[in-house]
Amino acid sequence: MRRFERKQNIFTNKDALSESYQPERIQERDEEIDEYMDALQPVVDGWEPNNIFLYGNTGVGKTAVTEYLLDMLLEDIATYDDVDLNVVSVNCKTLNSSYQVAVELVNELRPTGAEISSTGYPQQTVFKKLYAELEKLGGTVLLMLDEVDSIGSRDELLYELPRARANGKLEQAKVGLIGISNDFKFRDRLDPRVQDTLCERELHFPPYDAPELENILRSRSEVALADGAVEDSVLKLCAALAAKDSGSARQALDLLRLAGEHAENRDDETITDKHVEIAQDKLEQERVVEGMRELTVNGHFALLAVVSKAASRETPCRMRNVYQEYVRLCESAGVDPLAQRSVHNHLSDLRMLGILSAEENRSGSRGNYYSYALDVPFSSALTALSDVLSLTSVLDEIRATARRNDVA
Ligand SMILES: Nc1ncnc2c1ncn2[C@@H]1O[C@H](COP(=O)(O)OP(=O)(O)OP(=O)(O)O)[C@@H](O)[C@H]1O
Ligand SMILES: [Mg+2]
């Protein structure tokens, strides 16, 4: 029988490739860091802080750079005894209103045991409690609101907090907000008055290109991987794949970590391109599964229809034909089909998630129409669907069709 055994060929510190690891050095962000430091400079000089809004795609270092700079700021400012700086960080991901963010801030500021409950107060009462805590703290307070777009349209806090001093609600505390978002539309959706204050200083982090990702990977692999555990081409390949897809350092690091795990599980001494390819497939599959969790049953059926068309090599497939297939599949599964228009919306969602691609075709008399195809490997889509749909017979039929047509 197999027993647990420690494996240490590949990794010397696997945690250094994980999300929670705080890198000692930030690569390839010198200009952005300069601009960020300028925006934070009033804190050092003892003036009221700027409100800062930082945006950029997922995985481009927004959180990592902010944490890095705020740590550095706290350290450097300790040498000036006339500035008293506190930093409070909150991730808004699961908090979808001003109310909830304010409760979270109050509880971050209060000692353990004195937290308030997350329901039951009028919003203004929670804001008052927040002001009271901030006043008690006094000095300069930077509030880092990561993934601030989760706050949605209930963004009163973003309006009120920057005005609290002017409105006499705060006297002692000088508060600065740092809002971070990977949703480009969030900024535009904000009330213009909120935009004016929250986005006093706007910073943008662009996606990384392949050479930048390669440098980030190299410096991380020095900490994480054993000497000689990685073939030269591997970092280049991980960087190229991530650059082509998203420009996300997270994706590049995930690829390298997964590839390393594969090598380790197979008792290989070094990570090779082959391991990276396997890792890429796996990540792609996870992305589809993840995306599909956000869909309703009808969304799953819309995807199933495209998958079914792909199995018989009929993609890209016109909307009309996708819809016919959708209705057929719904009926065979005893699900009420939606109207074509709603199915169209589901297909758009799938496109936004990067699961489908769509071509717009121009046709003379009847206007434009779309043709849909899978934007992920056939097998990933099918596996992901079998995870969420219990439709063995339909899925088996699609699998059989795919085999007949040599679709992998
Ligand atoms: N310039 C960099 N140098 C070193 N490591 C980096 C750099 N940029 C990003 N990373 C690493 O990549 C991963 C993703 O970065 P981070 O979490 O900061 O992304 P983000 O922009 O906040 O993404 P999201 O919008 O999804 O929250 C982290 O592990 C981070 O340490
Ligand atoms: Mg982040």
Side-chain angles (χ1 to χ4, degrees), residues 2-180:
R2 191 177 153 202
R3 303 296 304 240
F4 290 106
E5 202 184 340
R6 183 161 283 181
K7 294 182 173 177
Q8 273 181 331
N9 286 345
I10 303 283
F11 296 106
T12 44
N13 178 3
K14 191 156 130 190
D15 296 345
L17 294 177
S18 79
E19 180 71 31
S20 54
Y21 180 80
Q22 172 79 42
E24 253 156 61
R25 274 174 308 150
I26 299 286
Q27 314 280 325
E28 308 293 346
R29 280 293 182 229
D30 292 354
E31 273 170 44
E32 288 80 7
I33 287 180
D34 266 349
E35 214 183 320
Y36 211 149
M37 288 179 76
D38 289 345
L40 290 167
Q41 185 61 33
V43 176
V44 187
D45 301 333
W47 311 125
E48 274 202 51
N50 287 312
N51 298 304
I52 299 173
F53 185 67
L54 168 58
Y55 67 103
N57 285 343
T58 184
V60 296
K62 301 183 297 297
T63 302
V65 170
T66 303
E67 282 173 352
Y68 171 85
L69 283 182
L70 290 177
D71 283 351
M72 185 164 96
L73 180 65
L74 281 165
E75 207 175 291
D76 292 350
I77 222 161
T79 55
Y80 303 102
D81 31 0
D82 57 345
V83 184
D84 176 22
L85 172 65
N86 284 286
V87 172
V88 183
S89 305
V90 163
N91 189 310
C92 305
K93 190 161 193 164
T94 56
L95 312 168
N96 40 36
S97 64
S98 285
Y99 183 91
Q100 288 174 338
V101 173
V103 168
E104 188 71 15
L105 285 169
V106 170
N107 289 339
E108 279 291 315
L109 289 161
R110 287 194 171 188
T112 348
E115 289 98 347
I116 60 171
S117 105
S118 61
T119 52
Y121 302 97
Q123 176 153 288
Q124 280 305 325
T125 307
V126 181
F127 286 7
K128 268 200 197 120
K129 288 181 192 292
L130 175 58
Y131 295 138
E133 293 304 324
L134 291 167
E135 284 292 83
K136 208 162 10 152
L137 205 57
T140 306
V141 190
L142 291 179
L143 303 178
M144 168 183 172
L145 303 180
D146 204 354
E147 313 200 21
V148 66
D149 43 283
S150 306
I151 209 170
S153 55
R154 287 179 285 174
D155 58 8
E156 303 83 7
L157 185 67
L158 306 180
Y159 177 75
E160 285 224 2
L161 256 183
R163 288 174 175 73
R165 233 173 131 84
N167 294 340
K169 291 182 176 156
L170 290 175
E171 282 171 5
Q172 305 299 323
K174 299 177 185 167
V175 176
L177 288 182
I178 301 176
I180 303 177

